[in-house]
Amino acid sequence: MSETRRPFYSQTAEEIAQQLEVSLQRGLTSTEVERRLEQYGENKLSHKKKTPIWKIFLNQFNNALVYVLIAAAILTAVVSIMQGHADFTDSIIIVAILIVNAVVGTVQEYKAMLSLEALNKMSAPHSKVLRDGNVQEISSEQVVPGDIVILEVGDIVPADLRLAEAVNLKIEEAALTGESVPAEKEVSTIESDEEIPLGDRHNIAFSTGLVTYGRGKGIVVGTGMNTEVGKIAGMLNEAPEQETPMQKRINQLGKVLGYTALGICVLIFVVGLIYGNDLLEMLMMAVSLAVAAIPEGLQVITTLVLAMGVQRLVKQNAIVRNLPSVETLGSASVICSDKTGTLTQNKMTVVRLWTPRGEVDTTEADLEEVNIKQLLLSATLANEAHLSDDPDAEQRFTGDPTETAIIALAEQKGLNKNQLEQQYNRLGEIAFDSTRKRMSTINRTDNGQLQTHLKGGTDEVLAISTHYLKDGERLPLTPEAREQIALANEAMAKQALRVLAVAYSDIDAMPTTITPETVETGLTFVGLLGMIDPPRVEVIDAVAQCRTAGIKPVMITGDHQITATAIASEIGILGEGDQVLNGSQLAALSDEELYEAVPHTAVYARVAPEHKMRIVQAWQKHNQVVSMTGDGVNDAPALKIADIGVAMGITGTEVSKNASDVILTDDNFATIVDAVKEGRRIYDNIVKAIQYLLSANIGEIVLIFIAIIFNLGTPLLPIHLLWINLVTDSFPALAISLDPAAPDTMQRPPIHAKTGFFTKGFIWRITYQGVMVGLISLVAYLIGFRDGGQELGQTMAFIAICLVELVHIRNLHSATKPSWRTPPHQNITLIWAMLASLALLLAVVFIPYMRDIFRLEMPDTTHWLILGGLMLIPLVLVNAFKLLKINTINGK
C-alpha cells in the first residue's frame, strides 16, 4: 500500500480509514480480507532465493589463479597429444586439485548457511485484529492493509499502523530506530513541511516493534515489503556484492603468475630457436617451466587455511558465512558499530541515585540510609513491571524497560517487589500518561497506614510536592531546596541519564474518587533515579585494543545525540579532536563534504538507514576496509555494503543476519576484536605460505632456465615439478598456517586495502630465497650429471630441492627472528608435516616401482652426504640475513 501525497502521520486516523474503506468500529469484512490478501499478498518480507549448492561450488572457480591453473592443465594436455603419447596424468592432477579446493570451499560455505538458517528459526507471531465487528487472533502473515489491529503489552506490531487509539502506549523500536528507550505513542497528527525521522513519528507503530506499556489500536497502512522494515530489506537487494581484500590479492597474484608463465614460455621459445632445438621439445620445456612457475597447491592451501580459521572462530562464538571474510576481518581499518545492543547491553539500568544528602552510585547505595530505602520502596510500588518468583527464569523482569530497571535494582538491594506488594497492599492506581508524566498508587501497609507512592518526570513531581525527605525528617520544600533538586536533575541529564523523580505521602483516608487531583497532592519529594542503557563491560577494553591496532572505532546510532556522546566518551570511542554529527547535519552534507568529515567524526546520532550506508561508502572512498556491526533491521543495508558486515546472533534480526558476512553467536562486541586478531593471524600465515611456495617455484625456474641457457639438459621433469609443488611443499605450507599470532599482531596498523602480497620486502625475500633454492639444486644436478649422467642429475636435483624446502620452512616463522628463536613445539603440526613430506620423498626414492614412475636412480652414500650438506645451507644463509637485518626492507 503506497502512501498518498500527504504522509500517513500528517493525516487523522478517520481520514485514513476513509481512504482504506474500513470501519474503525467493525474492521474489514471476511470477503474484503480475502480480496486484499490476493491483491497485496501475505504480510512477510521477500527473501532472496537460497543459493543452490551447485552455484556455490562453481563460484569457487571464479578467480584469476584458478583460470591460470586451468590454462596450464589444458596446455599440458595439448602438448601431450602433440607428442603422440596422450599422457594426461599432469592435467588430471591439476584438475583434481581444483576440484578438491572447490569441495572444501563449498562445504564450509554450506555449513555457514545451515548455521544461519538454524539461527533464524523462530515461531510465527500472532496478532489480534478487528474483523466483522469481532476481535480475532490470526497469524501475522494474514494481516492486510486496512485491518484494525489491537495492541496490548507484549504484542509484536505485525505491520506499519497509523494509531487510532493510544492509552499510555509505549513501543520498543530499537531494532528499527536505534533508540534504547521505548517510544511514547499518541494519536495526534504531525504537521511538518519536512519529512519526519522514523523515531519522531509518534502516531505510527512500526512493524517488528514490541509493546511494553499501555494499549492501542491502529489501521494497517503497510504490510510486508511496503513497511519501513520492508523498505530496508528491499535496499539490501540493491546493494552490490563486495570483493574482499583477500580475493583482490589472490586475483592479483593469479594475474602476476599468469603473465610470468606466459613470459617464460615466450622466452624459452626464443632461446630454443637460437639453439636450433626441436619445436615440440621446446614446447614441452615451456610447459614444464609454466608448471614450475605456478604453485598448484596454493589455491587449495589458501582455502584450507581460511576453512581452519572459520572453525577456530566458531569456537570463539563467530559464524563466518563465506571463507574470504575471515581474512577481511584482519584487514579492517574502520569498525562502524551500532550503539544499542552492540556497544550497550540493550537493558535500561539504574546507575545513579540522588537524595538531599547527595548523589551516589548504585553500587554504593545502602538501605540503611532512610532516603535510599524510601526512594527504592516508593519507586518499586509505583511500578507496573513484573518479577518472576523463579530465580532461574530466563527473563525474570518483564514490562517497560524503565520500570524493570527499578525493580531489578530494588531486588539487588533486598527489596523484592512481590513481597513488598504483599506488605503494601495496592488499593488503587492512576496510570502513567504522556500529559501528566506521572504514575501513582495507593497502598495500605501492614499496620493499616494508607500511603501514596509516585514516580514521574522531575518537574511534574516537584509541581505537586510540598515537602522533601532528608535523613528521615519531612522538611518544607523551599525555593532553595527546589533549586538544589533542579541542579541535581540537570547534572544527571548531562550524563545522558534518563531521570525519574520519586515522592510519597501518608494519607488519612481512601479518596472517594481516585483522580490525579485527589491522590497526587501534598507529596513529600524523596529523590531522583538516573538510568541508562549501559555499555557492555568488555567494550571499553575492546575499543582500546582497536585503537592500539590502528583501527578507527565509530558509533552510528538512531539514539539521541546527548546519549550517544555520553556512551561514546565513556567507552573511549569519542576522543580528543573527534566530532559528533546528528542525522539532520549529516543529511545537509554533500557526498564530498561527508568524505571530508568522516576521518574526524567518531559519533553519528539520530541517523536513518540510508545515512549509515553513506557513512560506510564515504570511508570506502578513503580506501579503508570498513566493518559494520549491528543487530537491528536499520543496520542491514550498511551491513550489506560494508567490506565485512557483522550481525548479532541472539538479539539480531533475521534481516540483519541475512545481510552479514559474520554472525556473533554471543552478541559480544569484544568477539569482534578476537576475530580481527584471528583474521590478522590468518593473513600473516597465508603470506608465509605464499612466500614459501613462490620461493620454491622461483628456485625451479632458476634451475631450469640456467640449464636451458647453458644447454645443460633437463634437470627436472614435469612429474618432479608437480610432486614438489603439490606434495613436498603443500604439507608444510598448510601446517605453517597454524602458527600462533605474533606478539605484536594487535599493536600494528592493519594492512592497507590496496596493498597486495607483492610488497618490496616480500619480493626481495622470494627472490633471494628462490635464487638460493635454484642454485643449491643446480649444484646437486651438476654433481649428479657429472657422476652418473642425466638421470642421476635429475635425481640429485629432485631430492635436493625437496630437502632444501623442508628445512627452509623453519625460516618462515618470522621475517626478523632467527629460526632457533621459534621453538618447534610452538607449531608441532609443522614438524609432523615435515616428517610426512620426508617419508613420502623417501618412499619415492627407495621403492623401486615409485622410482621407475619418477625415472630416478638410487643415490649412493656419498651423494646422500652431499645432499645432507646442501640442505643445511638455507638455515645458515637466511638466519645470517636476519641477523644482518637484510631479510626485510624498512622492517617489512
Side-chain angles (χ1 to χ4, degrees):
M1 175 66 64
S2 61
E3 295 192 15
T4 59
R5 283 178 297 177
R6 288 172 63 207
F8 289 124
Y9 56 75
S10 67
Q11 301 179 63
T12 65
E14 289 73 20
E15 287 175 324
I16 293 170
Q18 190 174 359
Q19 287 175 34
L20 297 178
E21 299 176 356
V22 62
S23 163
L24 287 171
Q25 288 71 42
R26 295 190 56 79
L28 295 172
T29 63
S30 300
T31 307
E32 184 62 18
V33 167
E34 287 181 20
R35 189 188 69 77
R36 295 191 185 194
L37 198 56
E38 188 173 334
Q39 180 182 354
Y40 300 110
E42 289 190 327
N43 176 35
K44 58 184 181 181
L45 301 180
S46 62
H47 295 285
K48 279 187 177 180
K49 286 185 178 178
K50 192 166 73 171
T51 307
I53 195 164
W54 63 266
K55 200 166 186 179
I56 297 174
F57 179 77
L58 290 180
N59 285 341
Q60 309 302 315
F61 295 92
N62 188 24
N63 72 58
L65 184 57
V66 171
Y67 301 152
V68 171
L69 288 172
I70 290 172
I74 293 170
L75 188 59
T76 304
V78 169
V79 170
S80 179
I81 292 169
M82 290 173 67
Q83 287 182 319
H85 53 71
D87 181 2
F88 302 127
T89 304
D90 296 343
S91 298
I92 290 170
I93 290 172
I94 294 173
V95 171
I97 293 161
L98 295 177
I99 291 173
V100 168
N101 167 73
V103 168
V104 171
T106 301
V107 167
Q108 289 300 324
E109 292 192 21
Y110 191 69
K111 282 168 68 176
M113 188 189 298
L114 293 179
S115 298
L116 177 64
E117 287 176 2
L119 280 173
N120 284 339
K121 281 183 182 174
M122 297 173 65
S123 57
H126 286 72
S127 304
K128 290 182 284 291
V129 296
L130 184 63
R131 289 179 178 174
D132 295 316
N134 299 310
V135 175
Q136 305 173 18
E137 186 165 324
I138 62 168
S139 167
S140 294
E141 292 183 354
Q142 301 300 306
V143 170
V144 296
D147 256 327
I148 306 299
V149 175
I150 311 299
L151 297 177
E152 295 175 344
V153 173
D155 288 347
I156 294 174
V157 181
D160 284 359
L161 314 178
R162 169 56 168 97
L163 293 170
E165 286 182 16
V167 180
N168 305 324
L169 182 63
K170 294 184 185 180
I171 300 178
E172 184 183 300
E173 298 171 339
L176 183 65
T177 65
E179 290 196 37
S180 53
V181 177
E184 294 180 11
K185 298 295 182 179
E186 55 185 80
V187 299
S188 59
T189 56
I190 303 170
E191 298 296 339
S192 176
D193 295 331
E194 298 179 1
E195 186 174 356
I196 303 296
L198 297 183
D200 296 329
R201 298 180 190 179
H202 58 72
N203 57 19
I204 302 289
F206 297 107
S207 175
T208 72
L210 174 67
V211 179
T212 63
Y213 198 90
R215 58 184 174 82
K217 183 168 78 172
I219 310 168
V220 174
V221 293
T223 59
M225 296 300 288
N226 290 320
T227 61
E228 292 298 331
V229 170
K231 290 174 188 174
I232 293 172
M235 290 165 67
L236 301 182
N237 299 330
E238 300 168 13
E241 294 292 333
Q242 301 291 315
E243 190 177 37
T244 70
M246 175 58 76
Q247 288 169 325
K248 292 174 185 174
R249 290 174 181 129
I250 290 291
N251 281 333
Q252 180 206 31
L253 178 61
K255 289 171 186 174
V256 170
L257 294 175
Y259 292 139
T260 302
L262 185 62
I264 288 168
C265 290
V266 171
L267 187 60
I268 292 307
F269 263 94
V270 172
V271 172
L273 290 173
I274 292 172
Y275 279 108
N277 292 338
D278 178 70
L279 185 64
L280 201 57
E281 185 183 334
M282 280 295 94
L283 187 58
M284 193 61 207
M285 186 58 73
V287 170
S288 295
L289 262 178
V291 171
I294 300 167
E296 287 83 2
L298 177 59
Q299 186 65 24
V300 73
I301 286 168
T302 303
T303 301
L304 286 170
V305 170
L306 293 173
M308 288 189 289
V310 167
Q311 295 307 314
R312 285 169 66 104
L313 283 173
V314 166
K315 295 174 184 174
Q316 296 175 35
N317 301 311
I319 295 173
V320 179
R321 297 185 63 201
N322 56 76
L323 290 181
S325 297
V326 186
E327 182 276 333
T328 312
L329 275 164
S331 303
S333 53
V334 179
I335 297 181
C336 297
S337 177
D338 183 42
K339 177 184 73 68
T340 306
T342 307
L343 295 169
T344 65
Q345 298 174 24
N346 199 16
K347 181 178 71 175
M348 290 300 288
T349 305
V350 181
V351 292
R352 305 289 292 176
L353 302 177
W354 185 90
T355 69
R357 291 190 64 179
E359 187 177 326
V360 294
D361 191 279
T362 51
T363 56
E364 300 167 0
D366 189 349
L367 291 187
E368 294 297 319
E369 187 183 329
V370 176
N371 271 66
I372 297 291
K373 183 174 182 179
Q374 187 64 52
L375 179 64
L376 294 180
L377 175 70
S378 294
T380 302
L381 291 172
N383 199 306
E384 297 290 5
H386 299 284
L387 168 66
S388 170
D389 287 324
D390 181 4
D392 300 320
E394 187 176 335
Q395 192 172 2
R396 290 203 66 204
F397 309 100
T398 54
D400 183 86
T402 301
E403 298 199 314
T404 58
I406 294 170
I407 67 171
L409 175 64
E411 196 204 23
Q412 183 186 328
K413 296 298 180 181
L415 295 176
N416 181 287
K417 183 176 190 287
N418 296 341
Q419 294 173 5
L420 286 178
E421 288 185 333
Q422 290 176 4
Q423 298 170 25
Y424 296 79
N425 184 32
R426 184 185 290 194
L427 303 178
E429 71 273 334
I430 302 175
F432 175 91
D433 68 53
S434 55
T435 305
R436 289 170 37 255
K437 290 186 168 52
R438 299 187 295 263
M439 178 206 171
S440 55
T441 63
I442 301 174
N443 302 76
R444 189 193 302 277
T445 65
D446 287 342
N447 61 12
Q449 174 66 54
L450 292 175
Q451 292 181 331
T452 297
H453 299 279
L454 178 143
K455 70 177 190 317
T458 304
D459 292 341
E460 288 74 17
V461 172
L462 283 175
I464 53 173
S465 298
T466 56
H467 293 74
Y468 71 98
L469 188 69
K470 185 176 182 181
D471 298 329
E473 188 177 355
R474 189 168 174 268
L475 303 172
L477 194 56
T478 61
E480 293 77 19
R482 289 179 183 274
E483 185 180 357
Q484 184 186 12
I485 295 167
L487 289 172
N489 179 71
E490 185 180 342
M492 279 185 161
K494 284 181 178 177
Q495 299 172 56
L497 300 181
R498 181 178 173 85
V499 185
L500 287 180
V502 177
Y504 84 105
S505 68
D506 291 329
I507 54 178
D508 298 327
M510 189 74 181
T512 308
T513 56
I514 299 178
T515 64
E517 291 73 24
T518 60
V519 175
E520 298 174 349
T521 181
L523 286 118
T524 300
F525 178 89
V526 181
L528 304 173
L529 301 159
M531 60 188 73
I532 198 169
D533 176 15
R536 290 176 177 269
V537 177
E538 66 282 349
V539 162
I540 295 174
D541 286 341
V543 169
Q545 282 192 57
C546 284
R547 291 199 177 278
T548 306
I551 300 168
K552 169 85 172 176
V554 177
M555 178 192 288
I556 306 177
T557 179
D559 213 340
H560 293 280
Q561 184 167 332
I562 187 169
T563 308
T565 302
I567 294 289
S569 300
E570 184 177 350
I571 63 180
I573 283 182
L574 190 63
E576 191 175 340
D578 288 330
Q579 67 177 4
V580 181
L581 283 178
N582 61 41
S584 300
Q585 294 168 328
L586 196 155
L589 296 178
S590 67
D591 288 344
E592 292 72 25
E593 289 170 329
L594 182 59
Y595 173 85
E596 297 296 330
V598 288
H600 317 292
T601 307
V603 178
Y604 299 87
R606 218 73 179 132
V607 297
E610 58 271 20
H611 293 153
K612 296 184 179 187
M613 294 177 70
R614 285 187 66 200
I615 295 162
V616 170
Q617 289 167 331
W619 273 114
Q620 288 172 332
K621 286 179 184 175
H622 282 277
N623 294 319
Q624 300 297 320
V625 177
V626 183
S627 171
M628 172 72 192
T629 74
D631 62 351
V633 175
N634 58 343
D635 299 319
L639 289 174
K640 184 72 173 177
I641 66 160
D643 296 289
I644 183 141
V646 183
M648 302 296 145
I650 299 172
T651 59
T653 57
E654 183 178 346
V655 175
S656 66
K657 284 183 276 196
N658 282 325
S660 68
D661 301 295
V662 176
I663 300 165
L664 305 183
T665 56
D666 63 351
D667 283 15
N668 192 336
F669 179 84
T671 303
I672 297 278
V673 179
D674 294 335
V676 167
K677 185 175 181 180
E678 179 63 16
R680 290 190 177 190
R681 186 192 71 82
I682 287 170
Y683 176 81
D684 289 347
N685 290 343
I686 285 177
V687 169
K688 292 176 192 176
I690 292 173
Q691 180 186 328
Y692 175 67
L693 294 172
L694 291 186
S695 63
N697 290 115
I698 290 172
E700 294 161 6
I701 292 169
V702 168
L703 169 63
I704 295 172
F705 188 70
I706 291 175
I708 291 169
I709 292 293
F710 294 100
N711 212 16
L712 299 174
T714 306
L716 290 172
L717 299 173
I719 194 170
H720 299 155
L721 294 168
L722 282 173
W723 179 271
I724 294 164
N725 291 354
L726 294 176
V727 180
T728 302
D729 289 351
S730 290
F731 290 150
L734 187 58
I736 204 168
S737 71
L738 296 175
D739 267 6
D744 68 340
T745 298
M746 295 299 283
Q747 275 80 51
R748 51 183 164 87
I751 304 294
H752 195 276
K754 290 197 172 180
T755 302
F757 293 121
F758 293 96
T759 60
K760 289 180 181 178
F762 182 84
I763 293 170
W764 162 240
R765 281 190 292 279
I766 62 170
T767 301
Y768 94 78
Q769 291 169 14
V771 170
M772 170 192 72
V773 172
L775 292 178
I776 293 171
S777 53
L778 178 64
V779 169
Y781 171 70
L782 293 174
I783 292 172
F785 190 86
R786 180 198 66 192
D787 296 345
Q790 174 90 1
E791 197 161 300
L792 181 59
Q794 289 176 345
T795 302
M796 289 287 286
F798 173 67
I799 297 173
I801 205 165
C802 287
L803 293 177
V804 164
E805 282 296 296
L806 289 180
V807 171
H808 179 48
I809 190 69
R810 286 278 294 147
N811 291 321
L812 274 294
H813 291 297
S814 169
T816 54
K817 285 197 312 185
S819 56
W820 64 78
R821 296 266 304 274
T822 304
H825 65 77
Q826 185 172 294
N827 186 350
I828 199 68
T829 306
L830 178 61
I831 304 302
W832 287 113
M834 292 166 65
L835 292 174
S837 289
L838 178 62
L840 290 169
L841 170 64
L842 295 177
V844 168
V845 176
F846 281 92
I847 297 173
Y849 172 74
M850 296 291 292
R851 196 163 60 237
D852 291 343
I853 292 175
F854 281 78
R855 289 177 247 175
L856 301 174
E857 281 188 14
M858 173 62 75
D860 59 22
T861 305
T862 302
H863 289 102
W864 276 114
L865 290 173
I866 292 170
L867 290 167
L870 292 173
M871 69 183 283
L872 297 176
I873 292 175
L875 281 178
V876 176
L877 186 64
V878 175
N879 282 318
F881 272 50
K882 288 180 182 179
L883 292 172
L884 294 170
K885 298 188 176 178
I886 55 175
N887 192 54
T888 58
I889 296 177
N890 297 326
K892 296 181 181 178

